[in-house]
């Protein structure tokens, strides 16, 4: 009971140790990991009103001017009307939820960002050219999710993999601009709208990802904290969560390596050495490592 009254003052300050790399390339790539996000130091607030926050319909929270429309409108590449926060001083603008629920054959994508940056997202090849995402978000046949000793779920090679073999290539379910101005609960409302607007399968995949704190009232952010990668769009860092890829565990001497392609909003993982069938596939520097230190 008392855990509902006051919970989760956790400040995550630990930084990831620089992983040993089998390739010089990794040095550049690890900089895309989310080491030092202000978000990771945002304390989840003590909330005495957790239950009332949960039952309050999120749609009522946002300003009425954002809701009142007389006729259906087009929202560019977005299938839903953008829902926005109040203007944020640190951004000089609002933070809004942009969803395209038909993105890439119905996978969907939700992006929490500023209106200006949303325009930049809309210009990316992944929205403009259907061929840009060819071969992405398709199962490579290289892996399966399995229980791994001491690490919970992980990705395990289903077949012999060679150096450079493609393992995963996925677009994120949720992308969110990093800010530390919104209160945790206000941010949660925005992120919940983003996840809620995703197609069912993608929403389900997201909500089933690992989390850190276990507090239901901040679950969507909790999942972001546990699974985030950094994606730069328009020169601004965004947190991004790739459901399939999130099952990859961290290792200091990983057998696979990831990179992010901002133009396609895609997280790629390739083998960096031969991987035997049944061997766990690992990457360096995931947030998972960070997560485990918090316990
Ligand atoms: C959603 O994204 C797809 C690209 O996957 C695009 O073809 C489609 O036009 C977008 N939806 C809207 C409403 O613009």
């Amino acid at each position: 009971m008392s855990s509902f009254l006051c919970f989760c003052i956790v400040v995550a300050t630990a930084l990831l140790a620089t992983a040993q790399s089998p390739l010089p390339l990794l040095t550049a790539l690890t900089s895309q990991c989310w080491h030092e996000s202000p978000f990771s130091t945002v304390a989840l607030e003590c909330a005495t009103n957790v239950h009332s926050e949960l039952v309050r319909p999120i749609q009522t929270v946002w300003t009425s001017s954002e809701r009142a429309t007389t006729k259906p409108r087009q929202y560019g590449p977005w299938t839903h009307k953008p829902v926005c926060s109040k203007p944020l001083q640190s951004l000089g603008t609002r933070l809004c939820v942009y969803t395209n629920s038909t993105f890439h054959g119905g996978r969907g994508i939700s992006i929490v960002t500023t209106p200006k940056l949303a325009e930049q997202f809309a210009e990316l090849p992944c929205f403009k050219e259907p061929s840009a995402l060819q071969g992405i978000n398709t199962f490579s046949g290289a892996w399966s999710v399995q229980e791994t000793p001491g690490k919970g779920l992980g990705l395990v090679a289903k077949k012999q993999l060679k150096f450079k073999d493609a393992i995963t290539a996925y677009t994120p379910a949720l992308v969110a601009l990093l800010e530390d101005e919104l209160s945790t609960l206000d941010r949660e409302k925005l992120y919940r709208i983003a996840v809620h607007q995703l197609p069912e399968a993608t929403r389900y995949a997201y909500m089933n990802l690992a989390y850190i704190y276990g507090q239901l009232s901040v679950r969507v952010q909790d999942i972001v904290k546990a699974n985030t990668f950094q994606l730069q769009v328009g020169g601004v860092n965004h947190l991004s969560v790739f459901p399939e890829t999130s099952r990859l565990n961290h290792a200091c001497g990983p057998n696979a390596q990831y990179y992010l392609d901002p133009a396609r909003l895609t997280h790629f993982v390739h083998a960096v050495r031969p991987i035997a069938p049944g061997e766990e596939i690992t990457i360096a520097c995931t947030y998972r490592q960070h997560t485990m230190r918090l316990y």
Side-chain angles (χ1 to χ4, degrees):
M1 254 339 250
S2 62
S3 66
F4 279 114
L5 297 176
C6 180
F7 68 98
C8 299
I9 303 193
V10 180
V11 179
T13 51
L15 302 181
L16 289 168
T18 309
Q20 291 304 305
S21 165
L23 288 180
L25 184 60
L26 190 60
T27 317
L29 292 172
T30 52
S31 67
Q32 293 178 322
C33 294
W34 198 262
H35 299 211
E36 296 181 57
S37 85
F39 190 61
S40 71
T41 61
V42 170
L44 297 181
E45 293 164 353
C46 280
T48 52
N49 57 345
V50 164
H51 290 302
S52 60
E53 287 294 341
L54 271 175
V55 294
R56 204 158 137 204
I58 45 182
Q59 286 82 359
T60 63
V61 173
W62 305 93
T63 55
S64 53
S65 63
E66 299 294 336
R67 275 187 278 122
T69 41
T70 45
K71 54 181 178 182
R73 275 187 48 197
Q74 293 297 313
Y75 306 109
W78 317 116
T79 51
H80 293 61
K81 181 176 185 172
V83 177
C84 302
S85 73
K86 62 187 189 299
L88 299 185
Q89 221 171 15
S90 57
L91 299 175
T93 181
R94 295 166 190 271
L95 203 56
C96 306
V97 178
Y98 300 91
T99 300
N100 178 331
S101 60
T102 60
F103 181 69
H104 203 213
R107 178 176 175 86
I109 189 168
S110 278
I111 301 169
V112 181
T113 195
T114 66
K116 268 221 161 62
L117 285 164
E119 284 172 23
Q120 297 207 34
F121 274 96
E123 291 302 315
L124 294 176
C126 59
F127 287 107
K128 298 234 123 173
E129 303 155 25
S131 63
L133 293 182
Q134 209 161 15
I136 289 167
N137 297 328
T138 20
F139 178 54
S140 66
W143 54 274
S144 63
V145 174
Q146 284 181 28
E147 199 61 42
T148 57
K151 288 198 270 184
L153 294 177
L155 254 57
V156 171
K158 255 175 103 168
K159 58 180 189 187
Q160 180 66 45
L161 298 173
K162 305 185 302 296
F163 174 58
K164 286 187 180 172
D165 273 357
I167 299 172
T168 57
Y170 287 97
T171 55
L174 176 68
V175 177
L177 184 146
L178 179 71
E179 49 58 48
D180 57 4
E181 185 172 339
L182 281 174
S183 74
T184 301
L185 291 176
D186 278 347
R187 186 182 304 110
E188 184 73 13
K189 285 167 202 153
L190 210 52
Y191 285 20
R192 270 189 200 198
I193 294 168
V195 171
H196 180 76
Q197 290 180 166
L198 290 169
E200 191 179 355
T202 307
R203 183 171 65 238
Y204 185 81
Y206 182 93
M207 293 308 293
N208 273 293
L209 291 174
Y211 48 84
I212 302 169
Y213 304 98
Q215 186 67 40
L216 205 55
S217 63
V218 292
R219 176 59 54 84
V220 176
Q221 280 171 97
D222 200 348
I223 289 171
V224 170
K225 282 197 176 201
N227 298 283
T228 193
F229 286 89
Q230 173 183 338
L231 195 59
Q232 271 226 347
V233 175
V236 178
N237 285 330
H238 289 75
L239 310 159
S240 50
V241 177
F242 304 83
E244 296 83 358
T245 305
S246 290
R247 297 294 181 201
L248 281 161
N249 285 315
H250 165 96
C252 290
N255 54 21
Q257 186 170 279
Y258 76 88
Y259 69 95
L260 288 154
D261 175 359
R264 288 183 283 175
L265 298 178
T266 300
H267 180 290
F268 292 92
V269 176
H270 289 84
V272 291
R273 63 169 172 77
I275 305 175
E279 192 181 337
E280 186 183 0
I281 301 164
T282 53
I283 55 174
C285 187
T286 69
Y287 212 76
R288 189 69 59 85
Q289 170 77 357
H290 196 158
T291 303
M292 290 167 74
R293 287 190 186 192
L294 296 175
Y295 282 106

